[in-house]
Coordinates of all heavy atoms in Angstrom, one line a residue:
M1 N 118.5 198.6 112.1 CA 117.3 199.2 111.6 C 116.2 199.2 112.7 O 116.0 198.2 113.3 CB 116.7 198.4 110.4 CG 115.5 199.0 109.8 SD 115.0 198.2 108.3 CE 114.2 196.7 108.9
K2 N 115.7 200.4 112.9 CA 114.7 200.5 114.0 C 113.3 200.1 113.4 O 112.9 200.6 112.3 CB 114.6 201.9 114.5 CG 113.7 202.1 115.7 CD 113.9 203.5 116.2 CE 112.9 203.8 117.2 NZ 113.3 203.5 118.6
T3 N 112.6 199.3 114.1 CA 111.2 198.9 113.6 C 110.3 199.3 114.6 O 110.5 199.3 115.9 CB 111.2 197.4 113.3 OG1 111.5 196.7 114.5 CG2 112.2 197.1 112.2
T4 N 109.0 199.3 114.2 CA 107.9 199.5 115.2 C 107.6 198.2 115.8 O 108.0 197.1 115.3 CB 106.7 200.1 114.6 OG1 106.2 199.1 113.6 CG2 107.0 201.4 113.8
A5 N 106.9 198.2 116.9 CA 106.6 197.0 117.7 C 105.8 196.0 116.8 O 105.9 194.8 116.9 CB 105.8 197.3 118.9
N6 N 105.0 196.6 115.9 CA 104.1 195.7 115.1 C 104.8 195.2 113.8 O 104.2 194.5 113.1 CB 102.8 196.4 114.8 CG 102.0 196.6 116.0 OD1 102.1 195.8 117.0 ND2 101.2 197.7 116.0
A7 N 106.0 195.7 113.5 CA 106.6 195.4 112.1 C 107.7 194.4 112.2 O 108.1 193.9 111.2 CB 107.1 196.7 111.5
G8 N 108.1 194.0 113.4 CA 109.2 193.1 113.6 C 108.7 191.7 113.7 O 107.5 191.4 113.6
P9 N 109.7 190.8 113.9 CA 109.4 189.4 114.0 C 108.6 189.1 115.3 O 109.0 189.5 116.4 CB 110.7 188.7 114.0 CG 111.7 189.7 114.4 CD 111.1 191.1 114.0
R10 N 107.4 188.5 115.1 CA 106.6 188.2 116.3 C 107.3 187.2 117.3 O 107.0 187.3 118.5 CB 105.2 187.7 115.9 CG 104.5 188.7 115.1 CD 103.0 188.2 114.9 NE 102.2 188.5 116.0 CZ 101.3 187.7 116.5 NH1 101.1 186.5 115.9 NH2 100.6 188.0 117.6
C11 N 108.1 186.4 116.7 CA 108.7 185.4 117.6 C 109.7 186.0 118.6 O 110.1 185.4 119.6 CB 109.4 184.3 116.8 SG 110.6 184.9 115.6
A12 N 110.2 187.2 118.3 CA 111.1 187.9 119.1 C 110.4 188.8 120.1 O 111.1 189.3 121.0 CB 112.0 188.8 118.2
D13 N 109.1 188.9 120.1 CA 108.3 189.7 121.0 C 107.9 188.8 122.2 O 107.1 188.0 122.1 CB 107.1 190.3 120.3 CG 106.3 191.2 121.2 OD1 106.4 191.1 122.5 OD2 105.6 192.1 120.6
R14 N 108.6 189.0 123.3 CA 108.3 188.1 124.5 C 107.0 188.3 125.1 O 106.6 187.5 125.9 CB 109.5 188.4 125.5 CG 110.8 187.9 125.1 CD 110.9 186.4 124.9 NE 111.9 186.0 124.1 CZ 111.8 185.6 122.8 NH1 110.6 185.6 122.2 NH2 112.8 185.3 122.1
S15 N 106.2 189.3 124.7 CA 104.9 189.5 125.2 C 103.9 188.6 124.4 O 102.9 188.2 124.8 CB 104.4 190.9 125.1 OG 104.2 191.3 123.8
I16 N 104.4 188.1 123.2 CA 103.6 187.2 122.4 C 104.2 185.8 122.5 O 103.5 184.8 122.7 CB 103.8 187.6 120.9 CG1 103.2 189.0 120.7 CG2 103.1 186.6 120.0 CD1 103.5 189.6 119.3
V17 N 105.5 185.7 122.5 CA 106.2 184.3 122.7 C 107.1 184.4 123.9 O 108.3 184.8 123.7 CB 107.0 184.0 121.4 CG1 107.6 182.6 121.5 CG2 106.1 184.0 120.2
P18 N 106.6 184.1 125.0 CA 107.5 184.1 126.2 C 108.7 183.2 126.1 O 109.8 183.4 126.7 CB 106.5 183.7 127.4 CG 105.2 184.0 126.9 CD 105.2 183.8 125.4
D19 N 108.4 182.0 125.5 CA 109.5 181.0 125.4 C 109.9 180.8 124.0 O 109.1 180.1 123.2 CB 109.1 179.7 126.1 CG 110.1 178.7 126.1 OD1 111.2 178.9 125.5 OD2 109.9 177.6 126.6
P20 N 111.0 181.2 123.5 CA 111.3 181.0 122.0 C 111.5 179.5 121.7 O 111.5 179.2 120.5 CB 112.7 181.7 121.9 CG 113.2 182.0 123.3 CD 112.1 181.9 124.2
D21 N 111.6 178.6 122.6 CA 111.7 177.2 122.3 C 110.4 176.7 121.7 O 110.3 175.6 121.2 CB 112.0 176.4 123.6 CG 113.5 176.5 124.0 OD1 114.3 177.0 123.2 OD2 113.8 176.1 125.1
L22 N 109.4 177.6 121.8 CA 108.1 177.2 121.1 C 108.4 176.8 119.6 O 107.7 175.9 119.1 CB 107.1 178.4 121.1 CG 105.8 178.3 120.3 CD1 104.9 177.2 120.9 CD2 105.1 179.6 120.2
F23 N 109.3 177.4 119.0 CA 109.6 177.2 117.6 C 110.5 176.0 117.3 O 110.8 175.7 116.2 CB 110.2 178.5 116.9 CG 109.1 179.6 116.9 CD1 108.9 180.4 118.0 CD2 108.5 179.8 115.7 CE1 107.9 181.3 117.9 CE2 107.5 180.7 115.6 CZ 107.2 181.5 116.7
F24 N 110.9 175.4 118.4 CA 111.9 174.3 118.3 C 111.5 173.1 119.1 O 112.1 172.9 120.2 CB 113.3 174.8 118.7 CG 113.8 176.0 117.9 CD1 113.7 177.3 118.4 CD2 114.3 175.8 116.6 CE1 114.0 178.4 117.7 CE2 114.7 176.9 115.8 CZ 114.5 178.2 116.4
P25 N 110.5 172.3 118.7 CA 110.1 171.2 119.4 C 111.2 170.2 119.5 O 112.1 170.1 118.7 CB 109.0 170.6 118.6 CG 108.7 171.5 117.4 CD 109.8 172.5 117.4
V26 N 111.3 169.5 120.7 CA 112.3 168.5 120.9 C 112.1 167.2 120.2 O 113.0 166.3 120.1 CB 112.5 168.2 122.4 CG1 113.0 169.5 123.1 CG2 111.2 167.7 123.1
A27 N 110.9 167.0 119.7 CA 110.5 165.7 118.9 C 109.9 166.2 117.6 O 109.6 167.4 117.4 CB 109.6 164.8 119.7
T28 N 109.5 165.2 116.8 CA 108.8 165.5 115.5 C 107.4 165.0 115.5 O 106.7 165.4 114.5 CB 109.6 165.0 114.3 OG1 109.8 163.5 114.5 CG2 111.0 165.6 114.2
T29 N 107.1 164.1 116.4 CA 105.7 163.6 116.4 C 105.1 163.5 117.8 O 105.8 163.7 118.8 CB 105.7 162.1 115.8 OG1 106.5 161.3 116.6 CG2 106.1 162.1 114.3
G30 N 103.8 163.3 117.8 CA 103.1 163.2 119.1 C 102.2 164.5 119.3 O 102.4 165.5 118.7
P31 N 101.1 164.2 120.1 CA 100.1 165.3 120.2 C 100.7 166.6 120.9 O 100.3 167.7 120.4 CB 99.1 164.7 121.2 CG 99.6 163.4 121.6 CD 100.8 163.0 120.8
D32 N 101.6 166.5 121.8 CA 102.2 167.7 122.4 C 103.0 168.5 121.3 O 103.0 169.7 121.3 CB 103.1 167.3 123.6 CG 102.3 166.8 124.8 OD1 101.0 167.0 124.8 OD2 102.9 166.3 125.6
V33 N 103.8 167.7 120.5 CA 104.6 168.4 119.5 C 103.6 169.0 118.5 O 103.9 170.2 118.1 CB 105.5 167.3 118.9 CG1 106.2 168.0 117.6 CG2 106.5 166.9 119.8
E34 N 102.6 168.3 118.1 CA 101.7 168.9 117.1 C 101.0 170.2 117.6 O 100.9 171.2 116.8 CB 100.6 167.9 116.7 CG 101.2 166.7 115.9 CD 100.2 165.6 115.7 OE1 99.0 165.8 115.9 OE2 100.6 164.5 115.3
A35 N 100.6 170.2 118.9 CA 100.1 171.4 119.5 C 101.1 172.5 119.5 O 100.8 173.7 119.2 CB 99.6 171.1 120.9
Q36 N 102.3 172.2 119.8 CA 103.4 173.2 119.9 C 103.6 173.8 118.5 O 103.7 175.0 118.3 CB 104.7 172.6 120.4 CG 105.8 173.5 120.5 CD 107.1 172.9 121.1 OE1 107.1 171.8 121.5 NE2 108.1 173.7 121.1
I37 N 103.7 172.9 117.5 CA 103.9 173.4 116.1 C 102.8 174.3 115.7 O 102.9 175.3 115.0 CB 104.1 172.2 115.1 CG1 105.5 171.5 115.4 CG2 104.0 172.6 113.7 CD1 105.6 170.2 114.7
E38 N 101.5 173.8 116.0 CA 100.4 174.6 115.6 C 100.4 176.0 116.2 O 100.1 177.0 115.6 CB 99.1 173.9 116.0 CG 97.8 174.5 115.4 CD 97.9 174.8 113.9 OE1 98.4 173.9 113.2 OE2 97.4 175.8 113.5
E39 N 100.8 176.0 117.5 CA 100.9 177.4 118.2 C 101.9 178.3 117.5 O 101.8 179.4 117.3 CB 101.2 177.1 119.6 CG 101.2 178.4 120.4 CD 101.4 178.2 121.9 OE1 101.4 177.0 122.4 OE2 101.7 179.2 122.6
A40 N 103.1 177.7 117.1 CA 104.2 178.4 116.5 C 103.6 178.9 115.2 O 103.9 180.1 114.8 CB 105.4 177.6 116.3
K41 N 103.0 178.1 114.4 CA 102.4 178.5 113.1 C 101.4 179.6 113.2 O 101.4 180.5 112.4 CB 101.7 177.3 112.4 CG 102.8 176.3 111.9 CD 102.0 175.2 111.1 CE 103.0 174.3 110.4 NZ 102.2 173.4 109.5
Q42 N 100.6 179.6 114.3 CA 99.7 180.7 114.5 C 100.4 182.1 114.7 O 100.0 183.1 114.3 CB 98.7 180.4 115.6 CG 97.7 179.3 115.3 CD 96.9 179.0 116.5 OE1 96.9 179.6 117.6 NE2 96.1 177.9 116.4
V43 N 101.6 182.0 115.5 CA 102.4 183.2 115.6 C 102.9 183.7 114.3 O 102.8 184.9 113.9 CB 103.6 182.9 116.6 CG1 104.5 184.1 116.6 CG2 103.0 182.6 118.0
C44 N 103.4 182.8 113.4 CA 103.9 183.1 112.1 C 102.8 183.7 111.2 O 103.1 184.6 110.4 CB 104.6 181.9 111.5 SG 106.1 181.3 112.3
D45 N 101.6 183.0 111.3 CA 100.5 183.5 110.4 C 100.3 185.0 110.5 O 99.9 185.6 109.5 CB 99.3 182.7 110.7 CG 99.3 181.3 110.1 OD1 100.2 181.0 109.3 OD2 98.4 180.5 110.5
A46 N 100.5 185.5 111.7 CA 100.2 187.0 111.9 C 101.5 187.8 111.8 O 101.4 189.0 112.1 CB 99.5 187.1 113.2
C47 N 102.6 187.2 111.4 CA 103.8 188.0 111.5 C 104.0 188.8 110.2 O 103.8 188.3 109.1 CB 105.0 187.0 111.5 SG 106.6 187.7 111.6
P48 N 104.4 190.1 110.4 CA 104.5 191.0 109.2 C 105.7 190.6 108.3 O 105.7 191.1 107.2 CB 104.7 192.3 109.9 CG 105.3 192.1 111.2 CD 104.7 190.8 111.6
I49 N 106.6 189.8 108.7 CA 107.7 189.5 107.9 C 107.7 188.0 107.5 O 108.8 187.5 107.1 CB 109.1 189.9 108.5 CG1 109.3 189.2 109.8 CG2 109.1 191.4 108.6 CD1 110.7 189.2 110.2
R50 N 106.5 187.4 107.6 CA 106.5 185.9 107.3 C 107.1 185.5 106.0 O 107.8 184.6 105.9 CB 105.0 185.4 107.4 CG 104.9 184.0 107.2 CD 103.6 183.4 107.2 NE 103.6 182.0 106.8 CZ 102.5 181.3 106.7 NH1 101.3 181.8 106.8 NH2 102.6 180.0 106.3
R51 N 106.6 186.2 104.9 CA 107.1 185.8 103.6 C 108.7 185.9 103.5 O 109.3 185.0 103.0 CB 106.5 186.8 102.6 CG 106.7 186.3 101.1 CD 105.9 187.1 100.2 NE 104.5 187.1 100.6 CZ 103.5 187.2 99.8 NH1 103.6 187.3 98.5 NH2 102.2 187.1 100.2
E52 N 109.2 187.0 103.9 CA 110.7 187.2 103.9 C 111.4 186.1 104.8 O 112.3 185.5 104.4 CB 111.1 188.5 104.4 CG 110.6 189.7 103.5 CD 109.2 190.2 103.9 OE1 108.5 189.5 104.6 OE2 108.9 191.3 103.5
C53 N 110.8 185.9 105.9 CA 111.4 184.8 106.8 C 111.4 183.5 106.2 O 112.4 182.7 106.2 CB 110.5 184.8 108.1 SG 111.0 183.5 109.3
L54 N 110.3 183.1 105.5 CA 110.2 181.8 104.9 C 111.2 181.7 103.8 O 111.8 180.7 103.6 CB 108.8 181.6 104.3 CG 108.6 180.3 103.6 CD1 108.9 179.1 104.5 CD2 107.1 180.2 103.1
E55 N 111.3 182.8 103.0 CA 112.3 182.7 101.8 C 113.7 182.5 102.4 O 114.5 181.7 101.8 CB 112.1 183.9 101.0 CG 110.9 184.0 100.1 CD 110.7 182.7 99.3 OE1 111.6 182.2 98.7 OE2 109.5 182.2 99.3
V56 N 114.1 183.2 103.4 CA 115.4 183.0 104.0 C 115.6 181.6 104.5 O 116.6 180.9 104.3 CB 115.6 184.0 105.2 CG1 116.8 183.6 106.0 CG2 115.7 185.4 104.7
A57 N 114.5 181.0 105.1 CA 114.6 179.7 105.7 C 114.7 178.6 104.5 O 115.3 177.7 104.6 CB 113.4 179.4 106.6
L58 N 114.0 178.9 103.4 CA 114.0 178.1 102.3 C 115.4 178.0 101.6 O 115.8 177.0 101.0 CB 112.9 178.4 101.3 CG 111.5 178.0 101.7 CD1 110.5 178.7 100.7 CD2 111.3 176.5 101.8
R59 N 116.1 179.2 101.7 CA 117.4 179.2 101.1 C 118.4 178.4 102.0 O 119.5 178.1 101.6 CB 117.9 180.6 101.0 CG 117.3 181.4 99.8 CD 118.1 182.6 99.5 NE 118.1 183.6 100.5 CZ 117.1 184.6 100.6 NH1 116.1 184.6 99.7 NH2 117.2 185.4 101.6
G60 N 118.0 178.1 103.2 CA 118.8 177.3 104.1 C 119.8 178.0 104.9 O 119.7 179.2 105.1
G61 N 120.7 177.2 105.4 CA 121.7 177.8 106.3 C 121.5 177.2 107.7 O 120.4 176.7 108.1
P62 N 122.6 177.2 108.4 CA 122.5 176.5 109.8 C 121.5 177.1 110.7 O 120.9 176.3 111.5 CB 124.0 176.6 110.3 CG 124.7 177.4 109.3 CD 123.9 177.7 108.1
S63 N 121.3 178.4 110.6 CA 120.4 179.0 111.7 C 119.0 178.7 111.5 O 118.2 178.8 112.3 CB 120.7 180.5 111.7 OG 120.3 181.1 110.5
T64 N 118.6 178.3 110.3 CA 117.2 177.9 110.0 C 117.0 176.5 109.6 O 116.0 176.1 109.0 CB 116.7 178.9 108.8 OG1 117.5 178.6 107.6 CG2 116.7 180.3 109.2
A65 N 118.0 175.6 110.0 CA 117.9 174.2 109.6 C 116.8 173.5 110.4 O 116.2 172.5 109.9 CB 119.2 173.5 109.8
H66 N 116.5 174.0 111.6 CA 115.6 173.2 112.4 C 114.5 174.2 112.9 O 114.7 175.4 112.9 CB 116.3 172.6 113.6 CG 117.4 171.7 113.2 ND1 117.2 170.5 112.7 CD2 118.7 171.9 113.3 CE1 118.3 169.9 112.5 NE2 119.3 170.7 112.8
G67 N 113.4 173.6 113.3 CA 112.3 174.3 113.9 C 111.3 175.0 112.8 O 111.3 174.7 111.7
T68 N 110.4 175.7 113.4 CA 109.4 176.4 112.5 C 109.9 177.8 112.2 O 110.2 178.6 113.0 CB 108.1 176.5 113.3 OG1 107.6 175.2 113.7 CG2 107.0 177.1 112.5
W69 N 109.9 178.0 110.8 CA 110.3 179.3 110.3 C 109.3 179.7 109.2 O 109.0 178.9 108.3 CB 111.7 179.2 109.7 CG 112.8 179.0 110.7 CD1 113.3 177.8 111.1 CD2 113.6 180.0 111.4 NE1 114.3 178.0 112.0 CE2 114.5 179.3 112.2 CE3 113.5 181.4 111.3 CZ2 115.3 180.0 113.0 CZ3 114.4 182.1 112.2 CH2 115.3 181.4 113.0
G70 N 108.9 180.9 109.2 CA 107.9 181.4 108.2 C 106.7 180.6 108.1 O 106.0 180.5 107.1
G71 N 106.3 179.9 109.2 CA 105.0 179.2 109.2 C 105.1 177.8 108.8 O 104.2 177.1 108.7
L72 N 106.4 177.3 108.4 CA 106.5 175.9 107.9 C 107.6 175.2 108.9 O 108.5 175.7 109.3 CB 107.0 175.9 106.5 CG 106.2 176.5 105.4 CD1 106.8 176.2 104.1 CD2 104.7 175.9 105.5
T73 N 107.2 173.9 109.0 CA 108.2 173.1 109.8 C 109.4 172.7 108.9 O 109.4 172.9 107.7 CB 107.5 171.8 110.2 OG1 107.1 171.0 109.0 CG2 106.3 172.1 111.1
E74 N 110.3 172.1 109.5 CA 111.5 171.6 108.7 C 111.1 170.7 107.6 O 111.6 170.9 106.5 CB 112.4 170.9 109.7 CG 113.7 170.4 109.1 CD 114.5 169.8 110.2 OE1 114.3 169.9 111.4 OE2 115.5 169.0 109.8
D75 N 110.2 169.7 107.8 CA 109.7 168.8 106.8 C 108.9 169.5 105.7 O 109.2 169.3 104.5 CB 108.8 167.7 107.4 CG 109.6 166.6 108.1 OD1 110.9 166.6 107.9 OD2 109.0 165.8 108.8
E76 N 108.1 170.5 106.1 CA 107.4 171.2 105.1 C 108.3 172.1 104.3 O 108.0 172.2 103.0 CB 106.3 172.1 105.8 CG 105.2 171.3 106.4 CD 104.3 172.1 107.4 OE1 104.8 173.1 108.0 OE2 103.3 171.6 107.7
R77 N 109.3 172.6 104.8 CA 110.3 173.4 104.0 C 111.0 172.5 103.0 O 111.2 172.9 101.9 CB 111.2 174.2 104.9 CG 110.6 175.3 105.7 CD 111.6 176.2 106.3 NE 112.6 175.6 107.1 CZ 112.4 175.3 108.4 NH1 111.3 175.5 109.0 NH2 113.4 174.7 109.1
R78 N 111.3 171.3 103.5 CA 112.0 170.4 102.6 C 111.1 170.0 101.4 O 111.5 170.0 100.3 CB 112.4 169.1 103.4 CG 113.3 168.2 102.5 CD 113.8 167.0 103.3 NE 113.1 166.6 104.6 CZ 113.5 166.9 105.8 NH1 114.7 167.6 106.0 NH2 112.8 166.5 106.9
H79 N 109.8 169.8 101.7 CA 108.9 169.5 100.6 C 108.7 170.7 99.6 O 108.6 170.5 98.4 CB 107.5 169.1 101.2 CG 107.5 167.7 101.8 ND1 107.9 166.6 101.2 CD2 107.2 167.4 103.1 CE1 107.8 165.6 102.1 NE2 107.4 166.1 103.3
T80 N 108.7 171.8 100.2 CA 108.5 173.1 99.4 C 109.8 173.2 98.5 O 109.6 173.6 97.3 CB 108.4 174.3 100.3 OG1 107.2 174.1 101.1 CG2 108.3 175.6 99.4
R81 N 111.0 173.0 99.0 CA 112.2 173.1 98.2 C 112.1 172.1 97.0 O 112.5 172.4 95.9 CB 113.4 172.8 99.1 CG 113.9 173.9 99.9 CD 115.2 173.7 100.5 NE 115.4 174.4 101.8 CZ 115.2 173.9 102.9 NH1 114.9 172.6 103.1 NH2 115.3 174.6 104.0
R82 N 111.7 170.9 97.4 CA 111.6 169.9 96.3 C 110.6 170.3 95.3 O 110.9 170.1 94.0 CB 111.3 168.5 96.9 CG 112.4 167.8 97.7 CD 112.0 166.5 98.2 NE 113.0 166.0 99.0 CZ 112.8 165.1 100.1 NH1 111.6 164.8 100.4 NH2 113.8 164.7 100.8
R83 N 109.5 170.7 95.7 CA 108.4 171.1 94.8 C 108.9 172.2 93.9 O 108.7 172.2 92.6 CB 107.1 171.5 95.5 CG 105.9 171.6 94.7 CD 104.6 171.9 95.6 NE 104.8 172.9 96.5 CZ 104.7 172.7 97.8 NH1 104.6 171.6 98.3 NH2 104.8 173.8 98.6
R84 N 109.6 173.2 94.4 CA 110.1 174.3 93.7 C 111.2 173.8 92.7 O 111.2 174.3 91.6 CB 110.7 175.3 94.5 CG 109.6 176.2 95.2 CD 110.3 177.3 96.0 NE 109.4 178.2 96.7 CZ 109.7 179.3 97.3 NH1 110.9 179.6 97.6 NH2 108.7 180.1 97.8
A85 N 112.0 172.9 93.1 CA 113.0 172.4 92.2 C 112.4 171.6 91.0 O 112.9 171.7 89.9 CB 114.0 171.4 93.0
R86 N 111.4 170.8 91.3 CA 110.7 170.1 90.2 C 110.0 171.1 89.3 O 110.1 170.9 88.0 CB 109.6 169.2 90.8 CG 110.2 167.9 91.3 CD 109.2 166.8 91.5 NE 108.1 167.3 92.4 CZ 108.1 167.0 93.8 NH1 109.1 166.4 94.3 NH2 107.1 167.5 94.5
S87 N 109.4 172.1 89.8 CA 108.8 173.2 88.9 C 109.8 173.9 88.1 O 109.5 174.3 86.9 CB 108.0 174.2 89.8 OG 107.0 173.6 90.5
A88 N 111.0 174.1 88.6 CA 112.0 174.8 87.8 C 112.7 173.9 86.8 O 113.4 174.4 85.9 CB 113.1 175.4 88.8
A89 N 112.6 172.6 86.9 CA 113.3 171.7 86.0 C 112.6 171.6 84.7 O 111.5 172.0 84.5 CB 113.4 170.3 86.6
Ligands
SF4_101 S1 107.4 184.3 110.4 FE1 109.6 184.1 111.0 S2 110.1 186.0 112.0 FE2 107.8 185.7 112.0 S3 107.2 184.8 113.8 FE3 107.5 183.1 112.3 S4 109.6 182.5 112.6 FE4 109.4 184.5 113.6

């Protein structure tokens, strides 16, 4: 599917995200990691497919198990899944 430059995933645009590792911190805590996560979240916040991306990541799968997807970290996605499961019960 052909998309316009503004309609695709922002994380795939190397003029916005030169290093895709931005979305995959090597640690889970610490000021550098927090800054990295915040930067990734800012990219996601302006992404035109954020909602769809997050839903795919919440459904899980190996490709979205780690890192920031749809503006949420791995831990935040886990909490969201639990909250949704409790709401559905
Ligand atoms: S919302 Fe998803 S597709 Fe968009 S920048 Fe974030 S990780 Fe990439």
